């Protein structure tokens, strides 16, 4: 077994870069707003967990400057290696199975990561362990069970097909151990772990070109798994991708819940 075995959305697949670009467009403004609220600045030591792409680590590097440090980790660093220059250090690391890549961090951040990690409890406690006293933790994760539809306004056959394929996607995730209701639990988990000043909010894009780009890349990436599992036919997928390409459907994402707190 390798660390990426069983992961539905592997970083080395062609569509992964397209998905990361869409995530950046959709979610970076929310992430950066929260990080700005922490007062991030020169000299901060940050750990970006499950970095995936480069948008967040590059933004962090500009904020912390040459006297700071950004440790970017992932089980597959193929999409973030290009950013590996001071103050960014890139490491292959499994947050659910290994000790933290350091300690005394001012900030630890993970976005759309823990829902996929088999040992989420260990991962969360590892991130908290890595913080200095007073350090900030920001966890942002999806809650597909809270809003399970790709097309909340299901008024025609195109939307019905889209929602059926989204249900298939959710089934594939659940079969691989993803917790589809994890996002809503984050505030309670942070409080139980002893963090202070816990708060949370949610961002829920209902339609945008980035939502369509994300959907097309995701469906192409999981096409074989959908067909093999009997959740869709190739004809279903071709029809759905053509529908998405028209730009005429309102495509949503699962809500991304951001929860944050401070280590005592």
């Amino acid at each position: 077994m390798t660390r990426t075995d069983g992961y539905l959305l592997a970083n080395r697949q062609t569509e992964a870069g397209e998905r990361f670009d869409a995530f950046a467009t959709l979610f970076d403004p929310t992430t950066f707003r929260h990080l700005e609220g922490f007062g991030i600045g020169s000299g901060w030591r940050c750990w970006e967990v499950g970095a995936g792409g480069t948008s967040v680590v590059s933004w962090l590097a500009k904020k912390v400057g040459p006297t700071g440090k950004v440790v970017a980790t992932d089980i597959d660093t193929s999409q973030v290696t290009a950013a590996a220059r001071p103050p960014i250090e890139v490491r292959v690391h499994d947050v659910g199975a290994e000790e933290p890549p350091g300690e005394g961090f001012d900030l630890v951040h993970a976005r759309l990561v823990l829902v996929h990690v088999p040992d989420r409890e260990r991962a969360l406690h590892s991130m908290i362990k890595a913080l200095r006293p007073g350090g900030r933790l920001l966890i942002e994760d999806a809650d597909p069970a809270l809003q399970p539809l790709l097309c909340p306004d299901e008024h025609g056959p195109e939307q019905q097909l889209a929602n059926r394929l989204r249900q298939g996607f959710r089934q594939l995730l659940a079969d691989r151990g993803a917790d589809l209701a994890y996002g809503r639990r984050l505030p309670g988990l942070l409080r139980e772990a002893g963090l202070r000043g816990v708060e949370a909010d949610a961002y829920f894009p209902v339609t945008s070109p980035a939502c369509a780009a994300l959907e097309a890349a995701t469906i192409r990436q999981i096409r074989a798994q959908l067909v093999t599992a009997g959740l869709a036919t190739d004809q279903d997928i071709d029809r759905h991708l053509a529908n998405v390409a028209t730009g005429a459907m309102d495509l949503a994402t699962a809500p991304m819940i951001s929860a944050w707190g401070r280590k005592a």
Side-chain angles (χ1 to χ4, degrees), residues 3 14 18 25 37 40 75 78 99 134 153 176 178 238 240 246:
R3 301 183 204 195
T14 303
E18 299 172 39
T25 299
I40 186 172
I75 56 174
S78 56
E99 288 297 303
D153 181 21
R176 285 159 174 77
D238 287 340
H240 175 59
T246 68

Side-chain angles (χ1 to χ4, degrees), residues 183-194:
R184 74 190 73 178
R185 298 175 53 218
L186 284 171
L189 291 171
L190 297 193
R191 283 194 301 270
E192 290 170 11

Side-chain angles (χ1 to χ4, degrees), residues 209-221:
C211 287
L214 177 61
E215 173 63 10
T218 299
I219 290 295
R220 292 199 309 272
Q221 189 166 4

